[in-house]
Amino acid sequence: MSIAATFEIEFLQYLDAEGKLVRDDLPAIARDVRELVELYRQMLFVRVFDAKAVALQRTGKLGTYASCLGHEAAHIAIGSAMQEDDVFAPMYREYGAQFIRGVKPREVLLYWGGDERGSDFSGPAHDFAWCVPIATQCLHAAGSALAFKLRGEPRVAVTVVGDGGSSKADFNSAINVAGAMQLPLVAVIVNNQWAISVPRKAQTGAKTLAQKGIAAGLECLQVDGNDLIAMRSAMDHAIKRARHGHGGMVIEAVTYRLSDHTTADDARRYRPDDEVKAAWQREPLKRLKAYLVGLNAWTEKEEEDWKADCAQRVDAEVNAYLETKSQPVEAMFDYTWAELPADLAAQRAQALGADKSH
Amino acid sequence: MAQITLIEAVTQALAYEMKIDPGVVVLGEDVGVNGGVFRATVGLQEKFGADRVIDTPLCETTIAGLTVGLAAQGMKPVAEAQFEGFIYPMMEHIACHAARLRTRTRGRMTCPAVFRAPWGGGIRAPEHHSEANEHLFTNIPGIRVVLPSSPGRAYGLLLAAIRDPDPVVFFEPKRIYRQYKEEVPDDGEALPLDVCFVLRDGSDVTLVTWGAQVKETLEAADALAEQGVSAEVIDVATLKPLDFDTIHESVRKTGRCVIVHEAPRTAGFGAEIAARLADEALYDLLAPVERVTGYDTHIPLYRLEMKYLPSVERIVAAALRTLAAS
């Protein structure tokens, strides 16, 4: 018998669900306690923001909103591992990564609050906005990575897709072309076990989602997506090798969607409470807090003070969002083209007339 | 000066723009060493290198998605769909992303890309190689739809399409790729993207068309002239945004209009022109607007395809009906 190819997928974890180290060959980030505390603070901020956003939707002050509850470690690791020059092509719930990149919470709220100006955000101008057509963003990241490669720029494109999105042609096309062209692309599959109501096992017969990258010729890794240290270490590795011309990588971040898919969804219809309860035991903040408290780097008092601080900052963002007046009716026309064609100018005038008559 | 065909004009325009703008890259299937299955990109990889004339994996979704990413990061990609019948996997990226990147980010990101595709029937090609589907794109806000019908217009309009700051779907009528040659100076002069071309002046009836059907329509105008009917012929060429003024001006003069296109009739782009005439030119009309189009069937395999495409006879008959009506 001759073997044409073999592969194995490493599972990376440093912190278990209780916050205990499971190995001692620690990456640099694990020893940088000050940085870990900072990242923990950001995870907590995102959680406070997320709860507030859901509350805004429930009280009629926000449209449909996609929660990021449970994904904080994955998202903060992604954002903190990237440089400003790199390009981020998110799906639609990676607020933690985006906040680190300069996107303001009020801009997230504006987007879900029905205003395009949310996507004209304060983050890097080259970052893509939220992408609702599933997995299409992966190819935009690949195209960005191709632009960097053609121009000889040491930049990396990072994209995020879900476990459901990993079934789509666009995801597979993106990692395929990244392998064929040796593109600096890091594709993170945030596997939160549920694509709205469809469980992970219904997406593919493959044992891991990470191994999809094998077929594309990329390096692959499965990571405990609730372990910030493992996630950040994986991202640092993937971004470094991509930046140095060693090609793309697929990272599967194994986590759990603790919330509904969006505020328009009711997950109780399709998944058992026990599963969700068990997932709360593995959630990302609890374990990092336990680890930091164990190192005497974080206290309950600091936790309470920081939460209060977060609530205040989030309130300020919410107020800024609520005080943002709608754009005038002509805004729907004015960004369609660089220059408004005559036909559309006529429709714009009509719309203005109709608007005034009300 | 050399005389060139329509497809050679496409190559000439690509080469001109690649020479003056290092941001222009060509990508698609077989566009590199092979120079494209119709030879539209022949010699370009030799001249500009494999980094600028890029053979992609065989996946239209990949081509379109890469194109959006490249354009969003400041490149000027010119993507090729090998045939218009293979453009459907690209539509999501064209409609959901290329077309709305500017507006959904309030101008923060833009998509200066061209999506080229050989278009239309009449070359005895296999199934899915002969569609006329321009109307599926003209309904999408934020993209231009361009369909040249002569070497000179192919050159000038493609240059304009590449230079345009917004995405352009650029269909090339493959039936007339090599129909005739004309002198096309390689002077980098672009044509406007929002002006129809009046190919022939006339006073009795306006024949409005685009793409390969310009050939039959001009022949129909000749046939009508023999019967003493003076037909004006307009090549729309830039379907979206539509230069309705030029069409209206002509109809104001002739009072009659026949719209000719090879795409299916229902909700074809001719319906939009007819509706605009009803809205804005009803009192200038002496006869009902006629449409001579493909039927509401799929274009048949090649034994019957010429029965599907509008013929000179059908165009002449429609024009005579408008004259008989008034």
Side-chain angles (χ1 to χ4, degrees):
Chain A
M1 186 176 71
S2 59
I3 307 294
T6 60
F7 70 89
E8 52 188 23
I9 300 295
E10 182 190 345
F11 175 74
L12 185 68
Q13 185 194 45
Y14 290 101
L15 281 182
D16 68 11
E18 308 308 320
K20 300 271 187 305
L21 289 171
V22 295
R23 50 196 285 181
D24 49 19
D25 56 336
L26 297 182
I29 183 68
R31 302 185 191 285
D32 189 345
V33 176
R34 186 178 295 203
E35 173 72 358
L36 280 183
V37 168
E38 178 53 32
L39 297 179
Y40 177 70
R41 282 173 183 270
Q42 299 193 32
M43 287 165 64
L44 209 48
F45 178 79
V46 178
R47 186 160 288 189
V48 171
F49 166 79
D50 191 70
K52 185 72 185 181
V54 172
L56 283 173
Q57 191 279 334
R58 299 294 186 225
T59 52
K61 292 174 184 151
L62 188 68
T64 298
Y65 169 78
S67 165
C68 63
L69 187 63
H71 305 70
E72 296 89 348
H75 295 170
I76 293 294
I78 291 166
S80 65
M82 294 176 68
Q83 293 184 3
E84 186 175 345
D85 255 8
D86 296 334
V87 156
F88 188 44
M91 39 186 282
Y92 43 73
R93 58 171 111 242
E94 291 75 29
Y95 317 120
Q98 292 179 305
F99 291 162
I100 292 176
R101 293 182 66 68
V103 176
K104 291 180 179 165
R106 68 187 69 176
E107 292 160 347
V108 174
L109 297 173
L110 260 185
Y111 177 67
W112 293 111
D115 192 318
E116 282 86 351
R117 285 173 296 178
S119 295
D120 182 16
F121 50 51
S122 312
H126 52 259
D127 271 13
F128 289 90
W130 299 282
C131 187
V132 172
I134 300 298
T136 51
Q137 73 276 6
C138 301
L139 275 167
H140 306 156
S144 303
L146 176 56
F148 303 155
K149 185 176 176 177
L150 294 177
R151 296 194 295 238
E153 299 167 349
R155 301 165 69 187
V156 177
V158 177
T159 191
V160 176
V161 73
D163 40 311
S166 76
S167 298
K168 277 202 66 170
D170 295 77
F171 167 75
N172 289 285
S173 297
I175 60 172
N176 182 62
V177 74
M181 296 184 179
Q182 185 100 351
L183 301 180
L185 174 76
V186 177
V188 183
I189 305 168
V190 177
N191 170 9
N192 66 18
Q193 313 302 329
W194 290 93
I196 306 189
S197 67
V198 179
R200 150 67 181 87
K201 68 175 188 304
Q203 293 297 336
T204 173
K207 200 166 178 181
T208 70
L209 301 180
Q211 75 200 59
K212 295 192 173 204
I214 296 287
L218 302 188
E219 188 173 314
C220 307
L221 184 64
Q222 192 187 55
V223 184
D224 183 336
N226 293 335
D227 173 2
L228 177 85
I229 295 174
M231 265 311 293
R232 175 59 191 272
S233 162
M235 286 303 300
D236 284 345
H237 170 70
I239 287 175
K240 186 176 175 190
R241 61 189 295 286
R243 201 182 306 288
H244 290 91
H246 303 303
M249 190 160 163
V250 173
I251 293 172
E252 177 189 358
V254 181
T255 180
Y256 193 85
R257 195 191 78 209
L258 293 168
S259 64
D260 296 328
H261 164 66
T262 66
T263 51
D265 175 43
D266 178 2
R268 289 170 303 184
R269 292 168 56 81
Y270 51 79
R271 66 181 186 186
D273 286 346
D274 289 356
E275 183 186 298
V276 182
K277 257 185 214 148
W280 271 105
Q281 298 309 307
R282 302 188 304 271
E283 67 94 10
L285 270 72
K286 183 181 137 215
R287 74 177 70 182
L288 185 57
K289 181 182 173 186
Y291 180 66
L292 293 174
V293 169
L295 292 176
N296 292 320
W298 189 248
T299 64
E300 279 303 335
K301 170 82 169 61
E302 282 172 301
E303 174 110 354
E304 290 318 307
D305 288 352
W306 176 243
K307 271 190 189 165
D309 197 1
C310 289
Q312 233 172 24
R313 291 204 291 154
V314 168
D315 280 347
E317 291 292 321
V318 169
N319 288 337
Y321 154 66
L322 293 174
E323 284 163 12
T324 305
K325 290 195 171 61
S326 295
Q327 285 192 286
V329 66
E330 60 265 32
M332 78 173 98
F333 296 92
D334 291 348
Y335 304 90
T336 307
W337 307 79
E339 269 181 68
L340 201 62
D343 274 9
L344 201 53
Q347 292 179 24
R348 181 183 187 271
Q350 270 178 2
L352 278 174
D355 195 46
K356 287 205 180 86
S357 69
H358 280 287
Chain B
M1 193 182 306
Q3 303 251 328
I4 59 174
T5 60
L6 195 157
I7 191 159
E8 287 165 342
V10 167
T11 316
Q12 182 171 296
L14 289 171
Y16 186 93
E17 209 57 18
M18 291 187 80
K19 192 173 58 199
I20 65 160
D21 185 347
V24 177
V25 294
V26 167
L27 68 160
E29 296 154 4
D30 306 298
V31 298
V33 176
N34 195 35
V37 294
F38 285 100
R39 310 289 175 256
T41 55
V42 78
L44 295 180
Q45 195 179 65
E46 253 175 337
K47 207 176 290 176
F48 299 103
D51 275 359
R52 295 188 61 200
V53 184
I54 303 164
D55 274 326
T56 65
L58 201 170
C59 176
E60 288 78 13
T61 306
T62 299
I63 298 168
L66 288 179
T67 297
V68 171
L70 285 164
Q73 301 305 331
M75 305 289 285
K76 292 263 194 88
V78 182
E80 179 178 295
Q82 203 156 69
F83 286 84
E84 74 300 297
F86 307 152
I87 206 170
Y88 300 107
M90 300 175 118
M91 283 188 77
E92 182 174 30
H93 285 279
I94 294 173
C96 298
H97 297 297
R100 62 195 292 161
L101 199 51
R102 178 187 293 278
T103 190
R104 73 185 295 261
T105 63
R106 301 283 96 151
R108 178 172 64 83
M109 289 186 126
T110 60
C111 191
V114 179
F115 298 88
R116 290 181 44 244
W119 166 99
I123 63 158
R124 300 172 66 81
E127 195 175 9
H128 303 293
H129 290 65
S130 304
E131 330 303 306
N133 46 14
E134 68 278 13
H135 51 288
L136 300 181
F137 295 88
T138 49
N139 193 243
I140 300 172
I143 52 169
R144 294 180 184 276
V145 180
V146 178
L147 230 164
S149 65
S150 75
R153 292 193 285 282
Y155 178 77
L157 291 172
L158 183 52
L159 287 177
I162 300 171
R163 291 171 193 171
D164 195 78
D166 289 308
V168 179
V169 174
F170 194 88
F171 285 122
E172 297 160 11
K174 58 173 107 76
R175 183 156 61 95
I176 56 171
Y177 258 160
R178 297 180 172 84
Q179 186 204 347
Y180 64 94
K181 294 186 176 193
E182 67 182 10
E183 276 187 14
V184 182
D186 193 11
D187 55 7
E189 283 294 315
L191 286 166
L193 284 173
D194 49 7
V195 178
C196 293
F197 298 87
V198 179
L199 301 186
R200 177 193 290 232
D201 289 326
S203 53
D204 296 328
V205 58
T206 303
L207 308 179
V208 176
T209 191
W210 53 90
Q213 223 59 46
V214 165
K215 175 177 177 290
E216 281 74 21
T217 304
L218 285 170
E219 287 169 16
D222 285 341
L224 287 164
E226 281 172 25
Q227 302 182 41
V229 175
S230 163
E232 182 142 308
V233 176
I234 296 177
D235 172 14
V236 179
T238 56
L239 298 178
K240 175 82 174 277
L242 175 65
D243 165 24
F244 183 70
D245 289 348
T246 298
I247 297 170
H248 191 178
E249 199 178 313
S250 173
V251 170
R252 212 175 269 138
K253 179 172 62 176
T254 63
R256 301 175 187 88
C257 186
V258 177
I259 303 160
V260 183
H261 64 68
E262 63 178 78
R265 168 173 301 218
T266 300
F269 195 66
E272 171 62 20
I273 295 173
R276 289 288 296 271
L277 288 168
D279 284 348
E280 299 170 41
L282 190 63
Y283 299 111
D284 300 313
L285 286 168
L286 301 169
V289 173
E290 286 272 348
R291 282 184 287 161
V292 181
T293 68
Y295 302 107
D296 284 349
T297 70
H298 295 286
I299 185 167
L301 297 189
Y302 70 80
R303 290 187 183 194
L304 289 179
E305 68 177 334
M306 296 314 288
K307 304 280 187 195
Y308 173 92
L309 298 176
S311 61
V312 175
E313 292 72 24
R314 282 174 63 197
I315 301 166
V316 168
L320 293 177
R321 280 197 298 274
T322 66
L323 285 148
S326 57

